[in-house]
Amino acid sequence: DAGVTQSPTHLIKTRGQQVTLRCSPKSGHDTVSWYQQALGQGPQFIFQYYEEEERQRGNFPDRFSGHQFPNYSSELNVNALLLGDSALYLCASRAGTPSYNEQFFGPGTRLTVL
Amino acid sequence: AQSVSQHNHHVILSEAASLELGCNYSYGGTVNLFWYVQYPGQHLQLLLKYFSGDPLVKGIKGFEAEFIKSKFSFNLRKPSVQWSDTAEYFCAVNARWNNDMRFGAGTRLTVKP
């Protein structure tokens, strides 16, 4: 079992550019959540996808958008990048939406915005 | 809005010492509570969780946590730490029917051999 995988591992972009991050959930999982973890902080919830729809969203601007595909994999898109978007982006998956089902995290994508 | 506070930024202990990491949350409703651990170079992984029932929950690797509703606290404990417990520990909470999970800022634990 490969667990949750994310690509790329690292990414460097400049202000104003757009970026797409990818996530494959753990086998058997159909719900994907994305988190942003700034240096020295805990992860912050961005949004959750289930059945190819955004089910819940944290306090992030519309520049952050996502998509879930029929195979449950997911993308996180960030437009008009700001320096403050530099962070580790984590993907997590679970089976179904109930929050009592264990959530498994991926290794993250480190985004640096110059 | 929900928030989570972890009292200690960095804790340094010697092997065999006892550990207690504080976690307080602010939310008026029913919550689910979690402790996650991130070992150096590894993914975040679940240590333990509380949803209902016995407020003293046991997790992996000898860790336990106690939910004290009146104090809005969910402190993590281990009677005797090992060098391999060196890691970052995160407390997290979400409202029972809400998947917006809020994490604390984390506590870095260093265990000296």
Side-chain angles (χ1 to χ4, degrees):
Chain A
D1 183 359
V4 180
T5 60
Q6 293 186 243
S7 63
T9 307
H10 296 90
L11 206 48
I12 299 175
K13 292 285 188 178
T14 55
R15 279 180 298 175
Q17 285 189 311
Q18 178 263 344
V19 69
T20 297
L21 311 181
R22 295 176 177 81
C23 170
S24 291
K26 182 177 168 65
S27 177
H29 289 185
D30 54 7
T31 302
V32 173
S33 298
W34 285 93
Y35 293 82
Q36 180 195 67
Q37 186 176 14
L39 206 58
Q41 301 295 319
Q44 279 194 292
F45 176 75
I46 303 174
F47 41 54
Q48 181 188 75
Y49 275 83
Y50 174 68
E51 292 186 333
E52 302 179 49
E53 289 188 13
E54 182 183 297
R55 297 292 176 166
Q56 196 157 358
R57 189 178 185 92
N59 189 25
F60 279 79
D62 292 345
R63 298 186 298 108
F64 290 77
S65 63
H67 189 77
Q68 186 179 35
F69 299 93
N71 67 352
Y72 309 122
S73 66
S74 177
E75 287 182 349
L76 164 65
N77 301 293
V78 187
N79 294 323
L81 284 167
L82 304 173
L83 294 179
D85 294 332
S86 294
L88 181 68
Y89 288 84
L90 297 170
C91 172
S93 72
R94 61 157 53 101
T97 55
S99 58
Y100 50 76
N101 291 346
E102 184 174 345
Q103 186 166 232
F104 290 79
F105 284 83
T109 293
R110 172 76 60 189
L111 172 65
T112 302
V113 182
L114 302 175
Chain B
Q2 305 162 206
S3 67
V4 180
S5 297
Q6 292 185 240
H7 313 302
N8 311 101
H9 182 65
H10 189 192
V11 172
I12 302 173
L13 296 173
S14 298
E15 275 195 314
S18 64
L19 170 72
E20 180 158 3
L21 300 183
C23 173
N24 284 89
Y25 65 93
S26 66
Y27 182 71
T30 305
V31 295
N32 301 323
L33 297 155
F34 308 82
W35 275 97
Y36 283 87
V37 62
Q38 187 166 30
Y39 298 102
Q42 295 189 25
H43 310 180
L44 269 173
Q45 58 182 283
L46 183 67
L47 259 184
L48 48 77
K49 60 186 178 184
Y50 171 81
F51 293 121
S52 63
D54 188 346
L56 184 63
V57 292
K58 296 194 183 297
I60 60 171
K61 304 187 180 186
F63 286 90
E64 64 178 32
E66 185 175 13
F67 171 47
I68 304 180
K69 190 175 181 180
S70 61
K71 295 184 178 180
F72 296 89
S73 71
F74 190 55
N75 292 353
L76 181 70
R77 301 194 292 247
K78 186 170 184 179
S80 175
V81 294
Q82 300 172 312
W83 176 80
S84 59
D85 293 323
T86 295
E88 185 107 24
Y89 292 82
F90 294 93
C91 180
V93 61
N94 67 266
R96 180 58 54 87
W97 306 115
N98 185 326
N99 285 295
D100 180 354
M101 183 179 283
R102 301 296 173 98
F103 283 78
T107 297
R108 184 154 59 101
L109 172 66
T110 300
V111 180
K112 294 185 173 180

